[in-house]
Every structure is written in structure tokens, then in C-alpha cells.
Amino acid sequence: EEYDAHKQHRLWLMCFYLILLAGFSYGLGADKFTYMEEFEDYPRDFSEIGEYIFIGLMYKGQMPLWTIVNLSCKAIFHSFYAVQLLESVAINITVCYLVSKYTHRYFLFLLIYFFSLQYFIFNTEVMREGFAMAFALWGIHGWMTGKRWLYYVTLPIGLLFHVSALIVLLFPFAKFKIS
């Protein structure tokens, strides 16, 4: 908790490491194999985007932004690693930024984040929810800093990745004080 001129630098270096660890992993997590197999079925262009969004939503229970991210990565990079990197960037930058705003014990939090397996859950198991929670966390931060417009903008974006972002609707009713 003491002051160190390089503390922020090391936090972002650690964040970069966490992004690369998840972004370049292969097949970590049971859900990731399913996502990788589905990724191979996506077309290499956007001509069938409407059909794939409909199929993803109706048959696979996948929200539209998840399908759009996969289609975009398939068309541009033709690699599932691009999806992994995007998701890892979204959740880990969000977590590290919020850690830097709400605590002085960055590395204690990152250790807990890592060893409690939340890092692996959001980056390997439930990637769709990782995207959704990244946007939900930005919305919560907006609410807590008096920027309620941010909450109202990021919540629908999170919902378009996964319905688990609905839990954030309860946040305004929670009464607590951060100390």
C-alpha cells in the first residue's frame, strides 16, 4: 500500500502479461473447445451475417455481439486467437483499470483474481460472459462515479454479448459504501 513510483507501471505490465497468457492459450477450459469448433463453421465474409446471428441466437443461445465478434475475427484474421485476445483485452484491462481506481493493493487483488480462478473463468471458460462483464463493470464504475449515462450505455452492450449482464440491473438498488 505504500507509495512506489513504478506501481502503476507494474500493474499495467502485469495486465499485459495476463492478456497474453489468456490470449495465446490453446484450449484452456471446456467451453473454449466448443467456441473453437463453432468458429471453424463461420464464413470468411460478412455475406451471411444475418443468418449466423439468427442461428446463434435461436439455436445456440448466443447473443448477437458474440456472433459479430467471431464473424469479424474469422473474416479479418481467420484465427480464433484474435477472439481470445479481444476478449482477454476487454476483461483484463477493465479489471486492472478498476483495480487502480478502487484500491491501493493492486497486486493483492490480482493474486486473489488469479488464484480464486476468476481470471481463468472469464478468460477461458465463459468467454461470452467475460465480454458482458467487462461492459457491466464499466457501467457499475460509471454509476459509482456519478456518470449514470455510462451505466445506461454499457448495460445494453453487455446484454448483447450475454444475458448474464442482466444482474447489473440490481446494482442501483444495492446500498453500500466503499471505504
Side-chain angles (χ1 to χ4, degrees), residues 107-162:
F107 301 104
L108 177 61
F109 179 86
L110 289 179
L111 279 172
I112 293 169
Y113 177 55
F114 191 82
F115 287 117
S116 68
L117 302 181
Q118 292 308 302
Y119 168 77
F120 289 106
I121 289 170
F122 284 134
N123 285 281
T124 65
E125 280 292 325
V126 289
M127 292 174 67
R128 294 180 297 147
E129 291 91 331
F131 271 121
M133 287 300 109
F135 284 98
L137 286 171
W138 281 111
I140 290 170
H141 174 63
W143 186 276
M144 292 176 65
T145 57
K147 298 174 188 165
R148 297 198 173 169
W149 64 269
L150 187 60
Y151 174 83
Y152 294 116
V153 168
T154 58
L155 179 62
I157 296 170
L159 285 171
L160 288 173
F161 275 107
H162 197 269

Side-chain angles (χ1 to χ4, degrees), residues 11-90:
L11 169 68
W12 291 108
L13 187 63
M14 189 66 182
C15 182
F16 183 68
Y17 172 73
L18 291 174
I19 289 168
L20 293 180
L21 182 64
F24 290 114
S25 66
Y26 177 78
L28 285 178
D31 290 352
K32 192 177 280 188
F33 281 113
T34 304
Y35 297 146
M36 289 167 63
E37 287 175 14
E38 290 173 355
F39 184 82
E40 294 304 318
D41 295 333
Y42 284 108
R44 293 186 87 171
D45 58 19
F46 292 100
S47 61
E48 302 172 36
I49 192 168
E51 180 181 330
Y52 272 87
I53 289 174
F54 179 78
I55 289 170
L57 187 62
M58 299 308 277
Y59 297 111
K60 299 176 185 176
Q62 297 175 348
M63 299 301 281
L65 281 181
W66 172 254
T67 304
I68 290 170
V69 164
N70 277 280
L71 275 168
S72 300
C73 289
K74 179 75 173 213
I76 297 168
F77 303 106
H78 193 61
S79 175
F80 188 72
Y81 286 111
V83 176
Q84 290 181 158
L85 276 168
L86 279 175
E87 193 272 340
S88 184
V89 163

Side-chain angles (χ1 to χ4, degrees), residues 88-102:
S88 184
V89 163
I91 190 66
N92 291 309
I93 286 180
T94 300
V95 166
C96 289
Y97 175 78
L98 295 178
V99 162
S100 74
K101 292 297 178 192
Y102 291 101

